[in-house]
């Protein structure tokens, strides 16, 4: 029986202070555990036959200093592919992880983005202004190049026990933003264009500490969308005891053919541990030294991918 351990220095937990709207303060940018799950689809110009898809998530990791200002570095990971709609075939599947996507800072109820796009050079741009009122027009921002969007109404929503203002937006000539929520972004994403035409983005969900706290649709909030070979057969033959556990547990799984790999991921899809599995192996004792929380255990083998959630208390 083999024993393995995760170096605690690889697990970095950041904590943010949340403030309530009732105190007159805007909810802070959650740079520690915030995660945005976004779907993208685009008609490739073939009369509705071929489409491009990208399902991805954003998370923050580490800070950086740019022009004397502290920014939170934004990373993207996901799964893209092409689809032949009528034939029902898919092609060019690409899974990617930890792609640097710019940086964001917060100042006086405004979010600023430092980055670039196909149309804009690398620089700092206003991303969101959460100080607007009903009737105000949205300023020109990184994700809003036009000046015709305006706040038509406002209300509040309770998200993770924090009351946040929601700004309903009008002025779109086509699909695009319907509302913006302070401390989160818009219903089309985080840095995605507020006005859209053929390419369509939408926010599947926003999560904190690996748990969805806001969604606006029926799609499942799969934060591990960027992990390779994720969850093909959930709980398909993996047995872990005890579950929950505190310091160590025993794993049993279908016998490995040739070689395989064990991964432990957090609920944002970040890999915390990798361990090689050998031909004929069917059990493993782990001592991962994880903080309390929910994690994903994944086994990748030559003939299957298995996964299940487990709890550390």
């Amino acid at each position: 029986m083999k024993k393995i351990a995760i170096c605690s220095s690889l697990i970095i937990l950041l904590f943010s202070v949340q403030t309530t709207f009732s105190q007159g303060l805007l909810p802070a940018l959650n740079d520690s555990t915030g995660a945005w799950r976004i779907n993208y689809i685009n008609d490739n110009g073939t009369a509705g036959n071929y489409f491009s898809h990208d399902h991805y998530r954003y998370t923050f990791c580490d800070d950086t200093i740019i022009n004397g200002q502290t920014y939170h570095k934004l990373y993207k990971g996901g799964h893209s592919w092409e689809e032949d709609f009528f034939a029902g075939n898919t092609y060019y599947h690409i899974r990617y992880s930890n792609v640097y996507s710019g940086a964001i800072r917060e100042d006086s109820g405004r979010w600023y983005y430092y980055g670039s796009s196909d149309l804009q050079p690398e620089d700092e741009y206003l991303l969101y202004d959460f100080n607007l009122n009903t009737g105000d027009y949205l300023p020109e921002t990184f994700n809003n190049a036009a000046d015709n969007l305006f706040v038509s109404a406002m209300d509040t929503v309770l998200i993770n026990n924090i009351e946040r203002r929601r700004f309903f937006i009008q002025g779109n000539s086509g699909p695009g933003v319907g509302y913006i929520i302070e401390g989160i972004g818009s219903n089309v994403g985080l840095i995605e264009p507020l006005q859209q035409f053929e390419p369509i983005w939408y926010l599947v969900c926003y999560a904190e500490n690996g748990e969805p706290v806001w969604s606006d649709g029926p799609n499942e909030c799969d934060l591990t969308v960027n992990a390779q070979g994720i969850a093909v057969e959930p709980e398909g033959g993996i047995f872990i005891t005890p579950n929950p556990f505190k310091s160590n547990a025993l794993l049993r799984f279908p016998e490995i053919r040739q070689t395989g790999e064990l991964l432990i991921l957090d609920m944002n899809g970040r890999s915390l541990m990798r361990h090689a599995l050998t031909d004929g192996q069917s059990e493993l004792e782990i001592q991962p030294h994880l903080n309390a929380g929910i994690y994903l255990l994944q086994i990748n083998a030559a003939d299957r991918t298995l996964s299940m959630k487990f709890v550390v208390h």
Side-chain angles (χ1 to χ4, degrees):
M1 186 180 299
K2 299 182 180 180
K3 293 185 178 181
I4 54 179
I6 298 176
C7 177
S8 59
S9 64
L10 295 178
I11 304 173
I12 303 174
L13 296 181
L14 304 174
F15 298 89
S16 63
V17 178
Q18 295 180 328
T19 56
T20 62
F21 176 70
S22 60
Q23 293 174 311
L25 299 175
L26 295 172
L29 176 67
N30 189 334
D31 63 308
S32 57
T33 70
W36 290 257
R37 254 291 284 119
I38 296 162
N39 283 358
Y40 163 88
I41 184 172
N42 183 31
D43 183 344
N44 289 347
T46 54
N49 192 12
Y50 292 93
F51 292 87
S52 299
H53 296 267
D54 196 357
H55 291 182
Y56 57 93
R57 63 163 178 78
Y58 290 120
T59 54
F60 290 109
C61 184
D62 299 330
D63 292 347
T64 185
I65 306 296
I66 304 174
N67 297 329
Q69 299 281 357
T70 300
Y71 291 80
H72 309 303
K73 293 193 289 185
L74 188 68
Y75 289 87
K76 179 180 177 181
H79 172 206
S80 66
W81 70 96
E82 302 293 321
E83 175 192 17
D84 182 339
F85 181 78
F86 292 109
N89 298 323
T90 60
Y91 312 91
Y92 309 122
H93 287 261
I94 299 174
R95 294 188 182 273
Y96 58 96
S97 177
N98 297 327
V99 176
Y100 177 71
S101 301
I104 297 178
R105 70 178 179 93
E106 180 180 26
D107 184 17
S108 302
R110 297 177 179 88
W111 288 4
Y112 294 89
Y113 175 75
Y114 195 96
S116 62
S117 69
D118 293 339
L119 302 176
Q120 296 166 298
E122 186 172 67
D123 203 345
E124 180 182 85
Y125 300 89
L126 178 64
L127 186 62
Y128 293 105
D129 185 348
F130 299 120
N131 299 297
L132 301 176
N133 293 296
T134 301
D136 288 346
Y137 279 83
L138 269 63
E140 183 175 331
T141 63
F142 175 80
N143 52 349
N144 177 44
D147 58 3
N148 60 310
L149 299 180
F150 65 94
V151 180
S152 61
M154 295 172 57
D155 67 2
T156 59
V157 289
L158 190 65
I159 300 176
N160 207 12
N161 297 318
I162 298 178
E163 195 174 32
R164 304 171 186 257
R165 286 184 292 184
R166 176 168 53 179
F167 307 82
F168 291 95
I169 307 301
Q170 288 189 8
N172 270 316
S173 58
V177 65
Y179 60 79
I180 293 170
I181 297 178
E182 61 182 353
I184 293 181
S186 77
N187 67 300
V188 298
L190 177 59
I191 62 175
E192 284 63 32
L194 300 185
Q195 301 194 68
Q196 305 173 9
F197 179 53
E198 287 184 348
I200 302 296
W201 294 262
Y202 67 91
L203 180 70
V204 175
C205 66
Y206 169 73
E208 294 180 355
N209 290 300
E211 296 296 329
V213 296
W214 177 261
S215 63
D216 190 26
N219 292 327
E220 181 181 358
C221 188
D222 177 15
L223 297 176
T224 58
V225 67
N226 71 312
Q228 291 186 344
I230 191 68
V232 176
E233 299 174 27
E235 300 191 22
I238 303 179
F239 178 75
I240 180 170
T241 182
N243 187 18
F245 67 90
K246 185 173 183 179
S247 59
N248 63 290
L250 177 64
L251 308 180
R252 289 193 176 95
F253 41 85
E255 184 174 311
I256 297 297
R257 303 297 183 187
Q258 298 178 350
T259 60
E261 184 181 44
L262 169 75
L263 293 88
I264 291 181
L265 312 167
D266 66 17
M267 295 310 293
N268 286 325
R270 287 186 284 261
S271 177
L272 305 179
M273 185 194 76
R274 291 178 180 269
H275 180 75
L277 301 174
T278 59
D279 186 21
Q281 189 171 358
S282 61
E283 68 176 31
L284 181 71
E285 183 179 353
I286 60 171
Q287 297 175 332
H289 304 298
L290 296 169
N291 287 333
I294 302 174
Y295 299 88
L296 183 71
L297 174 73
Q298 182 178 316
I299 293 176
N300 295 324
D303 60 343
R304 71 187 70 194
T305 296
L306 309 173
S307 69
M308 71 173 296
K309 292 179 182 178
F310 67 92
V311 178
V312 175
H313 61 69

